[in-house]
Amino acid sequence: MSSSPITNELLHALFIVAIAAEAMTAALAAGRREMDWLGVCLLGCITALGGGSVRDLLLDHHPLSWVAHPSYLLITGGAALVTIALARFIHPLRHLFLFLDAVGLVVFTVIGCDIALGLGLPWSIAIVSGMITGCVGGVLRDVLCNEVPLLFRAELYATVSIVTGALYVGGLALELHQETVTGGALAIGLALRLLALRFGWSMPKFVYTKDLH
Amino acid sequence: MSSSPITNELLHALFIVAIAAEAMTAALAAGRREMDWLGVCLLGCITALGGGSVRDLLLDHHPLSWVAHPSYLLITGGAALVTIALARFIHPLRHLFLFLDAVGLVVFTVIGCDIALGLGLPWSIAIVSGMITGCVGGVLRDVLCNEVPLLFRAELYATVSIVTGALYVGGLALELHQETVTGGALAIGLALRLLALRFGWSMPKFVYTKDLH
Amino acid sequence: MSSSPITNELLHALFIVAIAAEAMTAALAAGRREMDWLGVCLLGCITALGGGSVRDLLLDHHPLSWVAHPSYLLITGGAALVTIALARFIHPLRHLFLFLDAVGLVVFTVIGCDIALGLGLPWSIAIVSGMITGCVGGVLRDVLCNEVPLLFRAELYATVSIVTGALYVGGLALELHQETVTGGALAIGLALRLLALRFGWSMPKFVYTKDLH
C-alpha cells in the first residue's frame, strides 16, 4: 500500500494543483450565483476539501486533512479569490480548467482508495472511498448553489472515478508494481474523462413521471 | 436491551427488505429528476443508508453499517437498478411500495433506538436516534433532488417515528418483555403510518409571511 | 484557555439565550415555507444546534453538546413551538430578534474557538471552528428551505464571525486577560454586526455569467 517516495511526492503535488483547480471552478459557480467574496472563498474551500472531509468522517479517519494542514484552507480560499481577480481571463482558458478538474477527479480518487486501504478496509469500500473523495465536493457545491447535483445527472464523472478506483485497487490486489498501477489508473481514468468531455459521452438517463401517492 | 436471537433475525430480515424498498422509492424520485443510471444507484444507496450513517456519525458509532457490510451497498444499488428495469410495472404496485416504505420507517426507528441504548445513552437521545435513522435518508434524498424535504411539510412521518421510538424505549424502560415491546411498537407505528396515508392525516402547518429584515 | 467561572457562566447563559433565539428565527423561516409544526421544531433544533454539531464532527469532539445535554433539544424545539403560538407578536419585536441573532453569532463563535483551542489545535483552525459554530446552522436552515445560503450572498455575517474569532484567538495568544479578551471580542463583533445591519454593509459580490462547458 505504501507508495515510493517519488510517487507520493508527485501525488501530493498533483493534489495541491487539484484542490486549487477545484476551488477555482467552484468560484466560477459562486459567481454565477452572485455570491459575495467571502462566499466565493468558502464555496471554494468546501468544494475542494469537502470530498476528503466527508470520506474521513464516514471512515472515522481523523484529523481531517485541513485540520492537520491549515495551509490547504489558504491554498483553496486563495485560489478562489484569485479567480475573482482573473475572471475575465478564465473563459479562454476553460479547456485548461476542465483538464485540471479531470486531473483532480482521478488524483482525489486514488488518494481516497489509498486511505481506505491503509485503514485495512476491503477493496469494495476502498473504491467507494475513492469515489466519495473525488465526487462529493462537487455535490456539496451544487447543493449549496441550490441545484440538483450534476453528478447525478450528466457526464461520465462518478463513472470515471469508479473505473479509476477499480483499476487502482485491482492492480494492487494483483500485486503489480505500485508505480505502474498508480500511473496506469490515473492515465486511463484521465483519458476516459477527457474522451467523455470531448465526445459528450454520458450514461443513459432514467425518466419516470408518475407519483407514488 | 439485547433482543432474543429470533427477534434479532426477524428485525435484520425486515431491515434488508426495508433498505431495498427505500432504495427503490428513491430511484423513482431520481427518475422524476431524470438522473442517469449511476445517479439513480447513488441516490438509492444514500437514501436507504443515509439515515443510519448520519446517526452513527452523530453518536460516534463506528464502523458505519455499510463499511462493515459492503453487501448493503450492493443490495441498495442493485434495488435501484432493478427499479429502472421494472419501472413500468411499479405504478400498479404503488400501495405495496408505500407499505414497504412504512415498514422501513418503523424498523429503522427501532434499530436506531436500540443502537443508542446499546451505547448507554438516555431515553430521549434514543428516541432522537430512532427518528434520525428513520427519517434522515428521505431528507437527504429531497435535498439532493433540490426540494424542501417532505418530512418538514407533509404527512405523519417523523411523528410516526417519534411515537414508535417512544413506545419502544418506554416499553423497555418498564421492563416489559422484549419481543412484546418490539412487536407492539412496530405494529402500532405501522398502523399509525398506514392510517395517516389512508386518511390523509397531517400535522397543522405554520404559515408566516413576513420577513425579519 | 480555561475561562474563569464567572465568564463561563455568563457565556453559558448567553449560549442558552442564543440557541433559543436561533430556533425562533428558524421557525419563522419554516413558516415562510409552510412547514408543519413538527417540521418547525426540527428546523429549529437543526439550525440552533447544527453549527456546533458539524464543528464537533469535523474536529472529532464527542459527545455532541445535545447528546450530552438533551435539554438543549427541549429548549430549541420548545422555542420553535412558542414561535408558532406567538407569531403575530413577533414582527413588532423583529429588531430584538435580529439583536439576539447577532448575540448568538458572536457567542457561538467564541465557544467554537474555545473548543478548538481546548483540543490543542492551531489558531487558524480555532478561527475556522468559531466560524463553523457561528454560521453553519444558518446554512443548514437555508439548504433545508431550498435556498442558496444567505451566508454566501449577503451581509457581513461570516465576516463578523471571522473578526470575532480572530480578536478572541489573537487576544489569548497575546496572553491578555481572559475576561477582557472575551468581552472585547464579543462587543466588537456584536457592534460590527449591528452596524452592518443598520447601514446595510455587505461584501462586494462576484458576478460571473459564462459557463465552463
Side-chain angles (χ1 to χ4, degrees):
Chain A
M1 246 57 78
S2 66
S3 310
S4 79
I6 294 171
T7 317
N8 271 342
E9 269 183 39
L10 183 64
L11 261 186
H12 186 72
L14 285 173
F15 172 76
I16 298 296
V17 172
I19 59 174
E22 299 285 326
M24 295 180 86
T25 55
L28 299 179
R32 280 189 292 272
R33 292 280 164 178
E34 310 201 356
M35 293 188 184
D36 67 28
W37 290 4
L38 187 57
V40 173
C41 264
L42 294 174
L43 197 74
C45 293
I46 293 169
T47 304
L49 302 171
S53 298
V54 169
R55 173 204 64 216
D56 286 346
L57 291 180
L58 294 172
L59 302 185
D60 200 21
H61 178 249
H62 289 277
L64 306 197
S65 67
W66 53 270
V67 175
H69 305 282
S71 62
Y72 294 175
L73 296 170
L74 213 69
I75 293 168
T76 51
L81 280 184
V82 164
T83 308
I84 298 176
L86 303 181
R88 87 187 93 160
F89 307 111
I90 283 175
H91 199 66
L93 296 174
R94 64 190 183 281
H95 292 114
L96 177 62
F97 272 90
L98 287 171
F99 176 77
L100 290 177
D101 182 78
V103 170
L105 174 62
V106 293
V107 168
F108 286 175
T109 298
V110 164
I111 290 173
C113 293
D114 242 2
I115 283 173
L117 293 173
L119 293 169
L121 293 166
W123 62 268
S124 53
I125 299 300
I127 295 174
V128 171
S129 169
M131 191 181 64
I132 291 170
T133 313
C135 300
V136 167
V139 172
L140 292 174
R141 178 199 61 215
D142 293 342
V143 166
L144 292 170
C145 288
N146 200 17
E147 284 167 22
V148 175
L150 207 60
L151 183 73
F152 297 148
R153 290 184 290 135
E155 301 176 10
L156 297 191
Y157 203 86
T159 314
V160 167
S161 187
I162 291 175
V163 168
T164 307
L167 288 171
Y168 182 72
V169 172
L172 291 184
L174 295 173
E175 298 190 6
L176 300 181
H177 193 251
Q178 165 86 33
E179 263 98 60
T180 317
V181 172
T182 308
L186 291 176
I188 295 174
L190 186 59
L192 180 60
R193 171 72 181 145
L194 296 177
L195 288 169
L197 277 175
R198 175 70 187 77
F199 295 106
W201 291 345
S202 67
M203 277 267 184
K205 286 192 192 310
F206 172 45
V207 180
Y208 188 79
T209 53
K210 295 204 182 74
D211 237 317
L212 262 199
H213 288 246
Chain B
M1 247 55 81
S2 67
S3 311
S4 79
I6 294 171
T7 317
N8 271 341
E9 266 181 42
L10 183 64
L11 262 185
H12 185 72
L14 285 173
F15 172 76
I16 298 296
V17 172
I19 58 174
E22 299 286 325
M24 294 180 87
T25 55
L28 298 179
R32 281 189 290 272
R33 292 281 163 177
E34 310 200 355
M35 294 187 182
D36 66 29
W37 291 4
L38 187 57
V40 173
C41 265
L42 295 174
L43 196 74
C45 293
I46 294 169
T47 304
L49 302 171
S53 298
V54 168
R55 173 204 64 217
D56 287 345
L57 291 180
L58 294 172
L59 302 184
D60 201 21
H61 176 250
H62 288 278
L64 305 197
S65 67
W66 53 269
V67 174
H69 305 281
S71 62
Y72 293 175
L73 297 170
L74 214 67
I75 293 168
T76 51
L81 280 184
V82 164
T83 308
I84 299 176
L86 303 181
R88 88 185 93 162
F89 307 112
I90 283 176
H91 198 65
L93 296 174
R94 64 189 182 281
H95 291 115
L96 176 63
F97 272 90
L98 287 170
F99 175 77
L100 291 177
D101 183 78
V103 170
L105 174 62
V106 293
V107 168
F108 286 176
T109 298
V110 165
I111 291 173
C113 293
D114 242 1
I115 283 173
L117 293 173
L119 292 170
L121 294 166
W123 63 266
S124 53
I125 298 301
I127 295 173
V128 171
S129 168
M131 192 181 63
I132 292 170
T133 312
C135 301
V136 167
V139 171
L140 293 174
R141 177 199 60 213
D142 293 342
V143 166
L144 292 171
C145 287
N146 201 17
E147 284 167 21
V148 176
L150 206 59
L151 183 73
F152 297 148
R153 290 183 290 136
E155 303 177 8
L156 297 193
Y157 203 86
T159 313
V160 168
S161 187
I162 291 175
V163 168
T164 307
L167 287 172
Y168 182 72
V169 172
L172 292 183
L174 295 173
E175 299 192 2
L176 299 181
H177 192 252
Q178 165 86 34
E179 263 98 58
T180 317
V181 171
T182 309
L186 291 176
I188 295 174
L190 187 59
L192 181 59
R193 172 70 183 146
L194 295 177
L195 288 170
L197 276 174
R198 174 71 186 76
F199 296 105
W201 291 346
S202 67
M203 278 266 186
K205 287 192 192 309
F206 173 45
V207 180
Y208 187 80
T209 52
K210 295 205 182 73
D211 237 318
L212 263 197
H213 288 246
Chain C
M1 248 55 80
S2 66
S3 310
S4 79
I6 295 170
T7 319
N8 271 342
E9 267 181 41
L10 183 65
L11 261 185
H12 186 72
L14 285 173
F15 172 76
I16 298 295
V17 172
I19 58 173
E22 299 285 326
M24 294 181 87
T25 54
L28 298 179
R32 281 190 290 273
R33 292 281 164 179
E34 310 201 354
M35 293 188 184
D36 67 29
W37 290 5
L38 187 57
V40 173
C41 264
L42 295 174
L43 196 75
C45 294
I46 294 169
T47 305
L49 303 171
S53 298
V54 168
R55 172 205 65 217
D56 287 344
L57 290 180
L58 294 172
L59 302 185
D60 200 22
H61 176 250
H62 290 277
L64 305 198
S65 68
W66 54 269
V67 175
H69 306 281
S71 61
Y72 293 175
L73 296 170
L74 213 68
I75 293 168
T76 51
L81 279 184
V82 164
T83 309
I84 298 177
L86 303 180
R88 85 186 96 162
F89 307 112
I90 283 175
H91 198 67
L93 296 174
R94 63 189 183 281
H95 292 116
L96 177 62
F97 272 90
L98 288 170
F99 175 77
L100 291 177
D101 182 78
V103 171
L105 174 63
V106 293
V107 169
F108 287 176
T109 299
V110 165
I111 291 173
C113 294
D114 243 2
I115 283 173
L117 293 172
L119 293 169
L121 294 166
W123 63 267
S124 53
I125 297 300
I127 295 173
V128 171
S129 168
M131 191 182 62
I132 291 170
T133 312
C135 300
V136 166
V139 172
L140 293 174
R141 178 198 61 214
D142 294 342
V143 166
L144 291 172
C145 288
N146 201 16
E147 283 167 21
V148 176
L150 206 59
L151 183 75
F152 297 148
R153 289 184 289 136
E155 304 176 7
L156 297 193
Y157 203 88
T159 314
V160 168
S161 187
I162 291 174
V163 169
T164 307
L167 288 171
Y168 182 73
V169 172
L172 292 183
L174 295 173
E175 298 190 5
L176 300 181
H177 192 251
Q178 165 86 34
E179 264 96 60
T180 318
V181 172
T182 308
L186 290 176
I188 296 174
L190 187 58
L192 181 58
R193 171 70 183 145
L194 295 177
L195 288 169
L197 276 174
R198 174 72 186 76
F199 296 106
W201 291 345
S202 66
M203 278 267 186
K205 288 191 191 309
F206 172 46
V207 180
Y208 188 79
T209 52
K210 293 205 184 74
D211 237 318
L212 262 197
H213 287 247

